[in-house]
Each structure stands twice: as C-alpha cells, then as structure tokens.
Amino acid sequence: MTTFTPYASLFGGVLIGLAAVILMAFNGRIAGMTAMLGGLLEPQHPDAPWRIAFLAGAIAAPFVATLLGAEFSFASPTTGAVLALGGVIVGVGVTYASGCTSGHGVCGIARLSPRSIVATATFMATTFATVTIIRHGFGG
Amino acid sequence: MKRILSALAAGMIFGTGIAISGMGNPAKVLNFFDPFGTWDPSLAFVMGGALLTAALGYRLLFGRRQTPLFDTKFHLPTARTIDAKLVGGSALFGIGWGIAGFCPGGAVPALGFAPWPTALFLIAMGGGILFARWLQGIPRRQTA
C-alpha cells in the first residue's frame, strides 16, 4: 500500500511543468529525460554539456534535500532481476519512441503534438496492461 | 555557460518535483496502474499538475517571445509521422515501466534519494538504450 498524496503530487507535478517551461524559456529546449540521457552517451555532441547539467541538477537536488533532512517515500516492490529486466525494456522502448513520460507525456502533450499524444496513450495502456497481468493474471 | 546554469536550475526543479510527487517511487507508480488492487491515484495529480503548468507556460512563452533568452530559436521537434517505431517503442516502454515501476524521468532523480536499487535500473536502462541505438545503426535522431 502507498498513501494517496494529492497535494504533494500536484505540487511536485507543477514543479515538473515549471522545469519544462524554464528550460524552454532560457534554452529553447524540451525537458525530456530520454534526450538528456543521450548527453551521457554522446559526450561529443554540442548539446551534451547542458544535458548533463540538467541530469546533474535532477540528481543533486533530491540528494541535497535528503542531506538537509527531507524524506521522500520510496519502495521498489520487485526483485533486482525484475528491475533490471524492466530497465532494459524501458531503454529499448524510449529509444525507438524518441521520448518517455517527460518528453512525450508532459512537454509533447503540452504542445498538443499528435506524436506525443499517440505515444503517451500507447505507453499508459501497455503499462496498465502489464501491471494488471502481473498482479491479477490474465483473468483481470 | 549561461545555458549550462539554466539547465542545471531546470534540472534541480525537475528533480525536486519528481521526488516530492512520488513519480520516483516505483511502489507508488505501480499502484497507480492497479485500480483493481491497491490503487493510489496520486500520479494523476502529478501528470495533471505538470501538464497544466507546461501547457500554460508554453502558451504564455510562445505568445510573448520569438526566441528563448539564451539561444537563437526554440528547438521544437519537427517529426510528424506516427509510425511503427513510435507506437512499438512506446508500447515496449510501457511494458518495462509496468515491470519495474520506473520511467527514465522518475529514476534519474531517485538516484539522489534512493541510490540502490535505482542504480541497477539505470544501468540496465543504459544497456537497453545502447542496444537499441546499435540496432538502429546509431542514427542521430531528434528526441522528443
């Protein structure tokens, strides 16, 4: 069980949206995590420095917050092997889809991009189907 | 340098948002997708808050400015085709998200407050990205 946190989740969501608007206002870029990770894999790319800076900030902020005493709820209900399997599939999927929840789900839909709307509808549906099958079997 | 600092600031706000929202907590994510079991609707509020803020902010921004502050143009994705790559890739991504409870945007900030087992997921995901790029012959594609 996890606790329903409407206010914290809404506030966190607003911050995610704000980050996307700031990156567009200053750098003219989409705040998509799939593209950011490309910065690590292509260090020679002209966009690599600011992409790596975004990644560093995204990791550093919650890290510093925990040092200052903040607590973020976390639980991974799967085994390490399952987590790794999911990781590989996510990596392949977002590369072919050219984006994930942040790039397509937030930035793309906010621009009403038809590609992002299709992508988001597709991955929300397969995530739901996957969780339902794993937890409740094919009988639903 | 300016672009690096603004990206760093945006990343910090993004990471804080992910940590506060619960999007970096696999248990919470998986429960959102389990309305017939231990349902936790919180993620709808994350997506709603992020989408409304981004849509409103983009609208205001694009209405007022022709260019961003630190660059000569807005770099918006130009791809328009809805093809098997987009749909198949997205379908696969959802399967992985449903297995692990982590999406890339959730996992990267989670490294800052739950290094293990987040690192394991990220390493595996990096392997998946490299594998897919190798399959594609590493074309330099514009990501959304």
Side-chain angles (χ1 to χ4, degrees):
Chain A
M1 284 294 289
T2 51
T3 323
F4 177 46
T5 54
Y7 300 111
S9 289
L10 186 67
F11 178 60
V14 168
L15 288 182
I16 295 166
L18 194 63
V21 175
I22 287 172
L23 195 68
M24 186 60 75
F26 285 88
N27 294 25
R29 299 289 181 161
I30 295 285
M33 197 50 85
T34 300
M36 300 299 164
L37 291 164
L40 282 182
L41 300 172
E42 291 174 55
Q44 308 302 322
H45 195 283
D47 292 334
W50 67 263
R51 283 178 170 164
I52 291 167
F54 185 95
L55 289 172
I59 298 168
F63 175 70
V64 171
T66 48
L67 289 186
L68 298 175
E71 282 179 31
F72 304 113
S73 65
F74 181 91
S76 176
T78 56
T79 64
V82 171
L83 202 59
L85 173 71
V88 172
I89 297 173
V90 166
V92 173
V94 298
T95 304
Y96 276 98
S98 302
C100 54
T101 325
S102 45
H104 281 311
V106 177
C107 299
I109 294 190
R111 298 187 306 117
L112 296 176
S113 152
R115 265 174 64 85
S116 293
I117 292 168
V118 169
T120 307
T122 305
F123 66 66
M124 292 302 277
T126 56
T127 310
F128 169 71
T130 305
V131 172
T132 303
I133 289 168
I134 288 174
R135 292 195 169 177
H136 305 287
F138 285 90
Chain B
M1 195 61 199
K2 286 187 300 187
R3 281 182 215 171
I4 292 178
L5 288 178
S6 49
L8 181 73
M12 289 173 73
I13 296 169
F14 182 91
T16 306
I18 291 287
I20 292 175
S21 68
M23 201 76 184
N25 180 354
K28 204 168 175 63
V29 170
L30 293 173
N31 280 342
F32 173 72
F33 290 102
D34 190 11
F36 306 123
T38 50
W39 195 40
D40 178 349
S42 304
L43 251 62
F45 289 73
V46 185
M47 290 297 282
L51 253 177
L52 279 176
T53 307
L56 206 71
Y58 279 176
R59 182 167 279 262
L60 283 171
L61 181 64
F62 295 144
R64 280 159 197 243
R65 293 193 59 97
Q66 298 298 310
T67 59
L69 291 161
F70 297 162
D71 204 335
T72 52
K73 63 165 187 160
F74 291 113
H75 301 264
L76 300 176
T78 50
R80 287 284 173 272
T81 43
I82 292 167
D83 53 11
K85 255 186 179 177
L86 179 77
V87 176
S90 299
L92 209 55
F93 162 45
I95 293 170
W97 195 16
I99 289 174
F102 266 136
C103 62
V108 168
L111 195 61
F113 62 90
W116 189 262
T118 306
L120 176 67
F121 173 85
L122 285 171
I123 290 166
M125 187 182 79
I129 293 174
L130 287 172
F131 177 62
R133 285 185 174 223
W134 175 75
L135 285 178
Q136 291 177 338
I138 321 174
R140 298 282 184 267
R141 296 181 68 242
Q142 189 76 31
T143 39

